[in-house]
Each structure stands twice: as structure tokens, then as C-alpha cells.
Amino acid sequence: MIIVLTPNCKEENIDRISEHLHKLDLKIHKSRGEDHMILGVIGDISRVDIDKIKGFDGVASIIRISESYKQCSRSFHPSDSIIHVGNVPFGGKEIAVIAGPCSVENEKMIKKLSRELTRSGAHALRGGAFKPRSSPYAFQGLEKDGLKYLKEASHAAGVPCVSEVMAISDIDLFCEYVDAIQVGARNMQNFSLLKALGTSSKPIILKRGISATVEEWLNAAEYIVNGGNPNVILCERGIRTFENSTRFTLDLSSVPVIKKLSHLPIIVDPSHAMGKRDLVISMARAAVAAGADGIMVEVHDDPINALSDGPQSLYPKQFKQLMKEIQVISQVIGRGLLRQ
Ligand code: PEP
Ligand code: MN
């Protein structure tokens, strides 16, 4: 439920309304709409007497949020949220780029690659350490050592880092080593994990589930936000359809749809969607043109011998070229690439 206040509503009136709602165990979130201050009411509103609220001084109108997700909805928070990963803002005017290998394979490779990627303009590094592999026989990641190497590499390169968590029991470890925690597509509806991440202060990059609708995805984000962590960045990574010429179908239409429905930033991962390196570049360009707040791409210095996702990993040289291209595209749409 949203309470729209009159333009001249006094602080003391807001306090009176808040006090009344707090007594009903409801939380209040203040934000500014286009020309009005609004109060978002969080919790079970079934006991709220709407007519009574309308009677408070300073109340212009009351709007019920019809979406199943509330705090992530655009009506609850009309302006765009800007979420910082380290010192890198996602969701502002400029576009940010996260790049790195699918998995951290060893210390030397992540350090060398990190230097190269940041020289090409990457704003943040990625690298998996606990890998959600389809086969139990495939490389599972270096676990804690992987996080350690990633952190050292990101410090040396002077940019923040991101890695995927799979288990609640590893969250504390991730908080020690990374600047943002990724929830992979396969865990998007792992509600216990989402609730646990709601109590963390780290930004969360929430990938879209393989067969999740936009509504299910936003409800997954709502679990994290409702748990107390408002710092969620959504990441479109492709969904499963009947089409099999690409690994998944990159649903770029979700970018403007999310922008309409939610205030949260959205980035696009074209690597996992396309599955083939030669197809990744065009969809990375398209993601920026579609209005994404950033992209996440896999890059490897020796993709042929990569321990995971080699076929979709760009060569560093291709990444460098892509950065130049998205610089131009982002300027055409009035945004620009974030300066490092
Ligand atoms: C990854 O980022 O390496 C990954 C496994 O992604 P997704 O969850 O999108 O498959
Ligand atoms: Mn991968």
C-alpha cells in the first residue's frame, strides 16, 4: 500500500501517520515520487482502516499495490535505485561492465586476466569458485582458494569482484572475500538462500531462473529486499525455450519490462544465454541498446582449455573491442560507459 502525501505535508503529520502504522506492526518506507512524497507501507495491511488513514492531515490519496511483489515495484519506489558494488554504481545514468572467467582456475590466470580486463575498461571482476555444474564429474571450482585468488586479483587491479554463492553456510565466507554475491539461475527460487541473503549487507546479483517469469523473478528479489537487504541487481541470462540454436533464449524484452515494473537495476549476461563466443558480442551490444544498466561477460585468456564455459568465453582482444563498441552505443542512447 502506498500513501501519497500532499505537497506541503509537514514532518509532524508524517510522524503521526507512521506512529499509527507502527502500532499495527507495519514498516514505513519514505520516498519521493515525481512531484509528491510517498510512504510505502510494508507488512500485513489487512488490519489497516483505509478511511482512517485518509483522515490524517497531509494524506492526498492511498494506492494499493496490485503486484505480488511490493518493495521491488516501481509504484513503491518511483525513482531508479542505484546499487553500489564496491565503488561501482549500477542503475545510474552510466553503464557498468563486469567481466572475468566462468571459474577461477588458478592464481596466476585470474591475476593476469584481471589486469588485462581492467586495462580494457572492465569496472568489476567475476569468477566462480563454487560452481553449479550440470554434471557432478565436471570441475566444481576451487572453493575458498578461488575466492581468495579472486579477491587478491581484484585488489591488485583496483576494482570490486563478484562470485556465486550456492549454500547458506558459505555466506559469511563470501562476505569476507567478495564485493557482491551472485545468486545463480539454478538458485533463483531457493527461498531459504534468498532469505538468508536478505540479512546480509552485501549487494546481491540475482540471475533470472532458467524457466522463471519476470513476476517470479521479481518475487525472488522481494524475498531478499523484504529480509532487509535492499541492494539487489537483477541479471537477465536467458531462459529455456523450444529454440535450440543458442544455449538459452536471451529475453532482452525483460529489460524494458523490468524498467517499467521495478526500480531495481538490471544487467544482462549474454554469455550463458548464447553459449557460443561468436554470438555473445552482438547480444552484448543489443543489451546496452535495450537499456540495460550493465553487462556481465565471460572472458578467458585460453578459452579452448578453460575448465568451464570455454566455448562462450570471449578472448581478451574481443572484450577490448566490445568495450569500444558499447561505449559508442551507450552514448547514442544518452548514457555512456562509466569511467573507471
Ligand atoms: C555463471 O555465472 O557462471 C553461471 C553459472 O551462471 P547462470 O547461473 O546464469 O547459469
Ligand atoms: Mn559460466
Side-chain angles (χ1 to χ4, degrees):
M1 187 179 87
I2 290 164
I3 303 173
V4 182
L5 302 173
T6 53
N8 53 356
C9 180
K10 296 198 184 97
E11 250 342 285
E12 63 203 56
N13 291 333
I14 300 180
D15 290 346
R16 251 179 242 128
I17 301 164
S18 305
E19 205 179 303
H20 174 73
L21 293 167
H22 285 151
K23 279 191 199 143
L24 296 171
D25 269 349
L26 297 164
K27 282 190 269 173
I28 310 290
H29 175 93
K30 274 193 222 174
S31 67
R32 188 157 284 288
E34 244 161 52
D35 37 31
H36 284 88
M37 186 74 176
I38 63 172
L39 300 180
V41 183
I42 308 158
D44 175 9
I45 57 159
S46 59
R47 286 189 300 136
V48 177
D49 179 345
I50 303 285
D51 288 332
K52 190 164 182 180
I53 304 286
K54 279 184 186 158
F56 276 89
D57 286 338
V59 173
S61 61
I62 292 185
I63 304 168
R64 283 189 179 272
I65 302 178
S66 52
E67 295 92 352
S68 48
Y69 47 88
K70 310 285 179 199
Q71 298 175 63
C72 293
S73 75
R74 179 68 79 183
S75 34
F76 188 88
H77 187 289
S79 59
D80 290 339
S81 282
I82 299 179
I83 311 292
H84 284 83
V85 173
N87 57 357
V88 178
F90 286 80
K93 182 174 176 231
E94 284 146 341
I95 283 144
V97 177
I98 305 171
C102 179
S103 303
V104 177
E105 297 177 5
N106 57 63
E107 187 174 1
K108 199 169 150 216
M109 106 22 128
I110 191 68
K111 290 201 169 148
K112 181 169 172 276
L113 199 51
S114 300
R115 276 196 299 273
E116 210 160 356
L117 295 174
T118 44
R119 264 203 303 267
S120 297
H123 304 97
L125 288 174
R126 61 150 289 145
F130 293 79
K131 294 302 301 177
R133 304 305 300 278
S134 300
S135 161
Y137 307 115
F139 175 61
Q140 302 288 308
L142 298 182
E143 303 192 339
K144 186 177 174 182
D145 282 344
L147 292 180
K148 187 167 157 268
Y149 301 150
L150 180 67
K151 181 177 177 168
E152 285 168 7
S154 93
H155 270 212
V159 292
C161 66
V162 178
S163 197
E164 175 178 349
V165 75
M166 292 205 292
I168 296 176
S169 53
D170 291 330
I171 294 177
D172 287 346
L173 184 70
F174 274 71
C175 289
E176 219 180 295
Y177 288 102
V178 301
D179 301 286
I181 301 175
Q182 179 176 315
V183 175
R186 290 155 191 84
N187 268 317
M188 190 209 81
Q189 283 188 315
N190 180 340
F191 298 116
S192 315
L193 181 64
L194 300 177
K195 280 183 190 169
L197 290 169
T199 64
S200 155
S201 56
K202 289 277 176 187
I204 309 297
I205 297 183
L206 179 65
K207 290 224 180 171
R208 181 177 182 177
I210 287 169
S211 58
T213 62
V214 165
E215 191 180 359
E216 286 163 341
W217 188 15
L218 285 171
N219 269 301
E222 189 81 7
Y223 266 91
I224 302 170
V225 175
N226 193 41
N229 183 355
N231 303 311
V232 178
I233 299 169
L234 300 165
C235 179
E236 167 63 54
R237 49 79 71 207
I239 49 175
R240 183 153 282 166
T241 67
F242 54 83
E243 180 53 66
N244 59 9
S245 54
T246 52
R247 192 175 174 194
F248 294 92
T249 298
L250 185 61
D251 179 17
L252 278 186
S253 63
S254 73
V255 174
V257 169
I258 289 283
K259 285 282 166 205
K260 208 166 150 183
L261 299 177
S262 176
H263 54 90
L264 297 175
I266 174 166
I267 64 171
V268 171
D269 165 0
S271 306
H272 290 86
M274 307 313 283
K276 292 176 204 143
R277 149 178 351 107
D278 59 326
L279 303 174
V280 168
I281 293 177
S282 45
M283 294 316 278
R285 294 182 194 127
V288 173
D293 297 304
I295 55 170
M296 178 191 269
V297 269
E298 287 189 341
V299 189
H300 197 290
D301 61 343
D302 183 14
I304 308 299
N305 292 307
L307 298 180
S308 61
D309 287 346
Q312 69 199 28
S313 300
L314 299 182
Y315 285 96
K317 227 167 101 181
Q318 289 177 301
F319 175 72
K320 190 174 178 183
Q321 176 63 21
L322 175 63
M323 289 299 280
K324 288 186 187 149
E325 292 170 1
I326 60 175
Q327 166 86 48
V328 177
I329 297 169
S330 59
Q331 277 167 355
V332 169
I333 58 166
R335 295 189 74 172
L337 211 50
L338 200 68
R339 291 180 78 146
Q340 266 182 320

